Amino acid sequence: MSARSASADRPGTGKSAPYHHGDLRRALTDAALDLIGERGPKGFTLTEVARRAGVSTAAPYRHFTDKSDLLATVAELGFQRLHDALRAAPNGRDGRDHVLELGRAYLRWALDHPDFYLVMFGAEVKGADHPGLGRAAEAAFDVLLKAVDAARDAGALRTKDSRALAGSLWAVVHGAASLDIGGDLHAHTDVASEDLVVETITALTAP
């Protein structure tokens, strides 16, 4: 899976075009995503982001206090897009199926957008330090939490603690996505990541 695949969400050929269109913030986040795909979140500077975006080295500081602030903005955008992907997941035949479809949607989004994912769950930025990021992350998780609540209320799931179960499900899918993106999943199993997610969620949500 190429770490450049999230460029499909951006106009152009995958490389950030020089800044001409007036949206400096977008140009800088696009440039950062390109560099993250090539080098990882730690492998570039704001100066390189500016050069990739075709702007002066001082331009990033109009919107971002430092590199961490830029990465937090990228992570926040990633969680917003993950939230949209989860909201668009099929409802399934019942509440339990909906939870399973959310797991699939999460995994597919993560594998399609590994550059976003590396920043969203990397050590470089924390939601506690960036309130907008924290809110976006909680909103994405809340889609799953509400689905678990609804399935429990409908009798499709048995749980005394919806948040604990939602957290367990989130951790399972996150782990599968992280291992797959890092190329480490098949060091431990021959099962495809989506099949692993389906099997584990099915077991965790068994009546």
Side-chain angles (χ1 to χ4, degrees):
M1 175 68 64
S2 169
R4 301 295 304 279
S5 60
S7 63
D9 280 352
R10 306 193 296 276
T13 61
K15 290 282 188 181
S16 294
Y19 167 64
H20 295 300
H21 49 74
D23 188 350
L24 175 59
R25 189 180 184 89
R26 172 67 180 269
L28 293 168
T29 55
D30 283 356
L33 278 165
D34 282 338
L35 288 165
I36 290 162
E38 294 171 10
R39 307 180 193 175
K42 297 180 180 179
F44 64 93
T45 65
L46 278 182
T47 297
E48 289 173 294
V49 170
R51 185 181 303 118
R52 179 65 60 93
V55 298
S56 72
T57 56
Y61 296 97
R62 299 179 195 172
H63 289 285
F64 308 107
T65 56
D66 53 23
K67 178 180 172 181
S68 177
D69 193 28
L70 171 58
L71 289 174
T73 298
V74 171
E76 182 178 347
L77 179 60
F79 275 112
Q80 289 168 351
R81 294 186 179 182
L82 174 60
H83 173 268
D84 291 344
L86 294 176
R87 288 287 302 274
N91 282 332
R93 292 169 296 179
D94 59 29
R96 189 163 169 258
D97 271 356
H98 186 204
V99 170
L100 184 58
E101 291 298 335
L102 288 173
R104 284 193 172 109
Y106 181 118
L107 180 68
R108 290 169 182 169
W109 188 90
L111 297 183
D112 284 344
H113 303 86
D115 43 3
F116 270 120
Y117 204 75
L118 287 171
V119 181
M120 291 159 64
F121 295 102
E124 290 77 17
V125 292
K126 299 296 183 184
D129 299 325
H130 303 277
L133 169 57
R135 288 191 296 270
E138 187 61 29
F141 177 77
D142 202 46
V143 177
L144 175 59
L145 178 58
K146 287 179 178 177
V148 171
D149 273 335
R152 181 199 61 193
D153 294 345
L157 285 179
R158 294 182 182 179
T159 181
K160 295 180 180 179
D161 189 336
S162 292
R163 181 169 285 273
L165 178 57
S168 297
L169 297 171
W170 187 278
V172 165
V173 185
H174 171 69
S178 297
L179 287 170
D180 201 333
I181 289 169
D184 299 317
L185 179 66
H186 296 298
H188 309 288
T189 178
D190 292 330
V191 179
S193 56
E194 185 166 340
D195 293 337
L196 186 153
V197 163
V198 168
E199 183 172 345
T200 306
I201 291 178
T202 300
L204 286 172
T205 59

